[in-house]
């Protein structure tokens, strides 16, 4: 269910609760690792990755067959949850790399 922007503080993009399996792709030839996509927006997602080490940049498959994939950069981590931003093809072509360290400030949990 989409949440209204006024309920999300200063968020720029409406997030949609998803609660479905996804697959983290740590490198092009690496095995896919199952994760859980908690919510998603036009710009990024919140993933439950357990205690998995997550690289700064990685692929995310939204489907088991890999039909829908996104390139992601790690923005923050809080325990088993990570926040990612989707990287556009334009950013990738321009060589825009993830900037800074992941944010460690508190974040509202999904209840």
């Amino acid at each position: 269910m989409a949440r209204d922007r006024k309920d999300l503080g200063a968020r720029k993009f409406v997030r949609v609760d998803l609660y479905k399996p996804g697959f983290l792709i740590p490198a092009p030839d690496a095995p896919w690792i199952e994760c859980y996509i908690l919510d998603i927006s036009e710009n990024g997602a919140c993933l439950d990755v357990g205690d998995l080490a997550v690289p700064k940049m990685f692929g995310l498959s939204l489907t088991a067959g890999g039909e829908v994939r996104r390139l992601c950069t790690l923005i923050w981590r809080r325990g088993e949850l990570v926040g990612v931003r989707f990287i556009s093809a334009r950013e990738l072509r321009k060589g825009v790399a993830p900037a800074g360290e992941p944010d460690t400030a508190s974040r509202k949990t999904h209840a």
Side-chain angles (χ1 to χ4, degrees), residues 55-58 72-75 85 87 92 95-101:
K56 287 285 262 177
M57 190 179 294
F58 61 92
C72 303
T73 184
L74 180 66
I75 301 298
R85 183 177 67 83
I87 301 171
L92 200 55
V96 176
E101 292 299 314

Side-chain angles (χ1 to χ4, degrees), residues 2 4 9 16 19-20 25 32-33 36 41-42 46 49 52 58 62 68 77-78 80-81 87 89 104:
D4 189 279
V16 176
Y19 301 104
K20 69 172 255 178
I25 309 165
W32 293 14
I33 304 163
Y36 217 73
S41 74
E42 180 181 327
C46 178
V49 296
L52 176 68
F58 61 92
L62 304 175
V68 181
R77 180 168 195 147
R78 288 170 198 76
E80 296 181 345
L81 301 181
I87 301 171
T104 56

